[in-house]
Amino acid sequence: MEYRVDGQAAYVLHSRPYRDTSLLVDFFTLENGKVSAVVKGARRPNSRLRPVIQPFLPLQIGWRGRQDLKNLTLAEPVDANPFLSGTALMCGLYVNELLERLLQPFDAHPRLYVYYQYVVNELRSGEDIEGALRTFERRLLLELGYAPDLSDIDPDAIYLYQPEQGMQRIAQPNPNNRMRCFYGSHLQSIEQDQYAEPAVRQAAKRLMRLVIDLLLGDKPLRSRELFQKR
């Protein structure tokens, strides 16, 4: 039986050439999570879909198909979203690559979709890019079930992040585990998505990278390599 969707909110995560004139596109959708679809003829110069299949542009899309790889039947922009540039663009590519790498096909995460909209809007405004990234990273880990439990933290204690056990209270860090140690007060701020203090931002970035790198394994993010080349 053919599966058909006539209209759903979505963003483009990644696209690559497919056959002679088409694109293979990964979308992040509101109700179906990550969906991969063939966009036929999108690489032709006169294709009406060519200017629409762009990252960070909110879309309404439709598709049909019996297999996991769908055929796109509809793609319409919801508004005239300005394109990202500079640091905001690099951060947006990083967010998209995280979703592309960590989400499973057709695993719906509607709350994460809302946080994706939030981080894209913050990247557009440029007011608090770093805080928005840390908030999104943590919400992504919460949705996937990999975020460390920060609900019962003593603000006056020091904690060691252990991948299998989570946060373990310790007396003092040592040189071998210092990068995995965190002040309880910083962890409380992270748990509340409060990133006004520079020290909290640094701690959150370090913690999110520790957890995300475990999930990514040996294959590094291409977007991080772009940052390093700038």
Side-chain angles (χ1 to χ4, degrees):
M1 181 177 179
E2 185 175 74
Y3 186 69
R4 185 181 183 96
V5 171
D6 292 323
Q8 188 170 146
Y11 286 87
V12 171
L13 293 179
H14 181 64
S15 65
R16 56 270 196 203
Y18 184 75
R19 296 183 176 172
D20 292 336
T21 61
S22 301
L23 288 172
L24 182 58
V25 183
D26 295 329
F27 295 95
F28 183 35
T29 72
L30 174 61
E31 298 176 29
N32 291 81
K34 187 174 70 171
V35 174
S36 298
V38 175
V39 187
K40 294 181 178 179
R43 293 165 59 205
R44 293 184 179 133
N46 60 348
S47 170
R48 64 178 181 82
L49 292 175
R50 186 171 182 171
V52 174
I53 304 301
Q54 302 291 339
F56 320 117
L57 179 66
L59 301 172
Q60 280 286 323
I61 69 170
W63 66 83
R64 57 184 171 82
R66 292 183 176 87
Q67 307 300 323
D68 288 344
L69 182 60
K70 307 301 182 183
N71 288 309
L72 197 76
T73 58
L74 168 73
E76 296 178 348
V78 175
D79 63 24
N81 188 21
F83 295 109
L84 302 179
S85 62
T87 299
L89 174 60
M90 294 294 181
C91 293
L93 294 175
Y94 164 73
V95 168
N96 279 8
E97 190 174 7
L98 279 182
L99 291 175
E100 184 189 358
R101 290 279 302 274
L102 298 181
L103 293 184
Q104 296 299 312
F106 299 99
D107 185 11
H109 293 281
R111 287 179 297 184
L112 183 61
Y113 187 91
V114 173
Y115 277 99
Y116 180 82
Q117 291 177 309
Y118 153 75
V119 75
V120 169
N121 288 334
E122 289 297 315
L123 292 176
R124 288 164 61 183
S125 70
E127 293 181 3
D128 186 15
I129 290 177
E130 188 172 355
L133 286 177
R134 301 293 85 81
T135 296
F136 178 80
E137 288 171 335
R138 182 168 174 271
R139 294 297 164 172
L140 171 61
L141 294 174
L142 284 168
E143 283 286 316
L144 298 179
Y146 291 103
D149 184 5
L150 306 180
S151 61
D152 189 20
I153 295 293
D154 181 349
D156 298 320
I158 297 174
Y159 290 83
L160 173 68
Y161 171 65
Q162 299 275 38
E164 300 298 329
Q165 293 82 27
M167 289 297 173
Q168 302 292 309
R169 185 168 177 163
I170 61 173
Q172 290 291 334
N174 63 58
N176 294 326
N177 63 23
R178 187 173 299 275
M179 293 301 295
R180 294 187 289 116
C181 292
F182 300 87
Y183 291 111
S185 58
H186 292 168
L187 295 176
Q188 282 191 334
S189 295
I190 294 169
E191 198 269 338
Q192 298 167 5
D193 290 326
Q194 295 180 353
Y195 301 110
E197 297 182 20
V200 174
R201 290 177 181 241
Q202 293 173 5
K205 184 175 183 178
R206 185 158 44 91
L207 177 58
M208 297 304 120
R209 176 162 288 196
L210 284 170
V211 183
I212 288 170
D213 283 353
L214 285 173
L215 297 179
L216 293 173
D218 296 332
K219 187 177 178 182
L221 291 171
R222 298 186 301 272
S223 50
R224 282 185 186 166
E225 295 175 354
L226 291 176
F227 265 115
Q228 294 170 358
K229 293 177 181 179
R230 295 188 68 194

